[in-house]
Amino acid sequence: MEATITNPKFTTFHSLSSNLSPPFSLRFSLTFAENTRKNSTSLRQTSSFSHIPLRVSANSQAAPASAQATKVSFVPSEMKAWVYGEYGGVDVLKFDDKVSVPEVKDDQVLIKVAAAALNPVDFKRRQGKFKATDSLLPTVPGYDVAGVVVKVGSQVKGLKEGDEVYGDIHEKALEGPKQFGSLAEYTAVEEKLLALKPKNLDFAQAASLPLAIETAYEGLEKTGFSAGKSILVLNGSGGVGSLVIQLAKHVFGASRIAATSSTRNLELLKSLGADLAIDYTKENFEDLPEKFDVVYDAIGQCDRAVKAIKEGGSVVALTGAVTPPGFRFVVTSNGEVLKKLNPFLESGKIKPVIDPKGPFAFSQVAEAFSYIETGRATGKVVIHPIP
């Protein structure tokens, strides 16, 4: 049975990392009638991965550090991180407190990580589904990051020590992602992939956004979506889908938005801006008389999605088999997209959606992976604070 969910609401919570973020912040959350938190799993120390080869590379916007930015004067040579040295299930993830802090190339900054988030690509990569184009093992996983710049490369022009930033640290999601991901105390990343953290968001909220919001925005652009068009979002309560709904409404000017979810998340869809919330457990969206200019398939149902578009319409497919006229879309990380969307985030028009089971502690990374792999997460699974 799925847990009963009440209407989405805003809740305030105290920051878990007061030295890195404002003491209080707003988090867009969901309140479960029953929402139990699993006990933290113990950190499992294994053989040192301090021999991991250092491979990384960057360039983008100027901006002053926020009032809460914290400079870190000392950067150690080793750090705590989660790693895996072979592909496989959650059990290949190991905690190591002697991983080398990555070196910073000329076009990069070193970030003291405050929060990270998980995406489906994280566990698919760990399972070895992209091994042909992956970086060398062992790997520190993690795409999404939010934190504080503690060191800058010689070619970095727009960021400085103390800046609070966020971003997707891998420019290409599936092609040569970095060995050093965001599930660590420090990570090195190209300036061009980052943006200043929205001032009204804490680190956990900011970390939930980059990969999902860039995927949502760039996917909509690829379809040629524009004001006055209608859209159907499959898996509207997921990390990407929840942002597609908001972007379609507030940035692109959609005339009508429909979205699918299970029964428990229908109210969430409406709160995000969906005009029509479809319970996929009770009706087939492709059988509805209404058709749409665009279907954003964030779940892998392209064969059904193509039956729900108007003549000349398009389907953007993130996963699963592709049926024409649907097309496959894989995001390319770009900090400029985040900069473009920051005003919508700072105005509150677009809100992060964080799964109510989180944020997970850094000691619970394996548990967080297990949870996201169930496919039942609402919004994003966040790891905070780090370490």
Side-chain angles (χ1 to χ4, degrees):
M1 295 286 293
E2 291 185 309
T4 304
I5 228 173
T6 63
N7 288 343
K9 66 180 184 179
F10 288 101
T11 59
T12 59
F13 74 104
H14 192 276
S15 170
L16 296 176
S17 183
S18 59
N19 66 317
L20 290 176
S21 59
F24 291 93
S25 56
L26 287 176
R27 177 159 71 98
F28 186 80
S29 180
L30 304 175
T31 305
F32 277 97
E34 293 183 13
N35 178 26
T36 56
R37 191 184 185 90
K38 299 179 184 177
N39 293 328
S40 295
T41 53
S42 328
L43 294 177
R44 292 173 294 160
Q45 184 171 335
T46 65
S47 59
S48 170
F49 282 81
S50 58
H51 61 280
I52 296 179
L54 299 173
R55 298 172 54 200
V56 248
S57 286
N59 195 292
S60 173
Q61 155 194 8
S66 76
Q68 282 78 25
T70 303
K71 288 193 177 184
V72 180
S73 56
F74 171 72
V75 177
S77 60
E78 293 180 336
M79 64 180 179
K80 300 179 182 72
W82 285 86
V83 298
Y84 56 89
E86 60 181 318
Y87 294 117
V90 173
D91 60 321
V92 302
L93 287 163
K94 309 295 179 186
F95 177 80
D96 193 331
D97 62 1
K98 295 188 182 301
V99 176
S100 294
V101 172
E103 294 178 349
V104 179
K105 294 186 178 179
D106 291 343
D107 57 355
Q108 294 180 329
V109 300
L110 185 69
I111 298 173
K112 175 65 179 73
V113 181
L118 296 184
N119 299 277
V121 69
D122 285 292
F123 69 78
K124 292 177 182 178
R125 182 186 177 198
R126 192 206 66 228
Q127 291 169 346
K129 295 187 176 180
F130 316 121
K131 65 174 64 176
T133 56
D134 203 357
S135 56
L136 298 175
L137 295 174
T139 293
V140 175
Y143 283 67
D144 288 322
V145 71
V148 179
V149 175
V150 295
K151 186 177 181 181
V152 298
S154 62
Q155 295 177 12
V156 172
K157 304 300 183 187
L159 295 174
K160 62 183 182 299
E161 289 183 26
D163 280 345
E164 297 176 343
V165 296
Y166 75 129
D168 168 10
I169 72 170
H170 304 293
E171 184 169 12
K172 298 286 188 180
L174 310 180
E175 299 174 22
K178 298 176 176 68
Q179 275 184 290
F180 285 90
S182 57
L183 291 172
E185 289 184 273
Y186 296 91
T187 193
V189 58
E190 295 86 351
E191 180 186 16
K192 68 180 179 181
L193 305 183
L194 298 170
L196 291 175
K197 179 179 71 65
K199 297 179 179 63
N200 60 317
L201 302 185
D202 63 25
F203 285 112
Q205 292 171 309
S208 75
L209 288 166
L211 180 58
I213 202 167
E214 290 177 23
T215 299
Y217 182 85
E218 292 179 26
L220 286 168
E221 277 197 323
K222 292 288 186 184
T223 68
F225 197 71
S226 58
K229 291 188 176 182
S230 61
I231 187 170
L232 168 63
V233 185
L234 305 186
N235 191 23
S237 61
V240 173
S242 60
L243 290 164
V244 172
I245 293 171
Q246 298 181 76
L247 291 173
K249 182 180 183 69
H250 298 294
V251 178
F252 288 86
S255 61
R256 183 164 170 80
I257 302 170
T260 66
S261 76
S262 60
T263 309
R264 67 189 175 104
N265 284 329
L266 295 178
E267 289 304 314
L268 169 64
L269 300 185
K270 294 174 184 176
S271 74
L272 294 175
D275 302 295
L276 174 64
I278 303 168
D279 187 341
Y280 71 75
T281 69
K282 297 179 179 178
E283 56 186 335
N284 296 321
F285 63 83
E286 69 270 32
D287 295 335
L288 296 174
E290 183 177 5
K291 303 303 175 185
F292 302 88
D293 294 302
V294 169
V295 176
Y296 201 117
D297 176 19
I299 195 68
Q301 298 176 335
C302 191
D303 57 332
R304 297 171 58 194
V306 295
K307 300 175 183 177
I309 56 174
K310 298 176 181 178
E311 184 176 353
S314 60
V315 175
V316 54
L318 300 184
T319 186
V322 176
T323 303
F327 65 92
R328 164 79 67 242
F329 173 70
V330 179
V331 68
T332 298
S333 176
N334 184 352
E336 292 302 320
V337 171
L338 300 179
K339 294 168 191 173
K340 183 184 299 185
L341 297 177
N342 270 358
F344 294 93
L345 291 161
E346 292 183 338
S347 69
K349 289 182 178 179
I350 298 175
K351 304 173 182 68
V353 182
I354 297 176
D355 187 275
K357 288 186 181 295
F360 288 78
F362 194 50
S363 62
Q364 295 178 295
V365 164
E367 182 180 332
F369 265 95
S370 293
Y371 178 56
I372 193 174
E373 289 176 49
T374 66
R376 296 173 60 82
T378 299
K380 290 297 292 293
V381 174
V382 174
I383 312 297
H384 174 76
I386 294 176

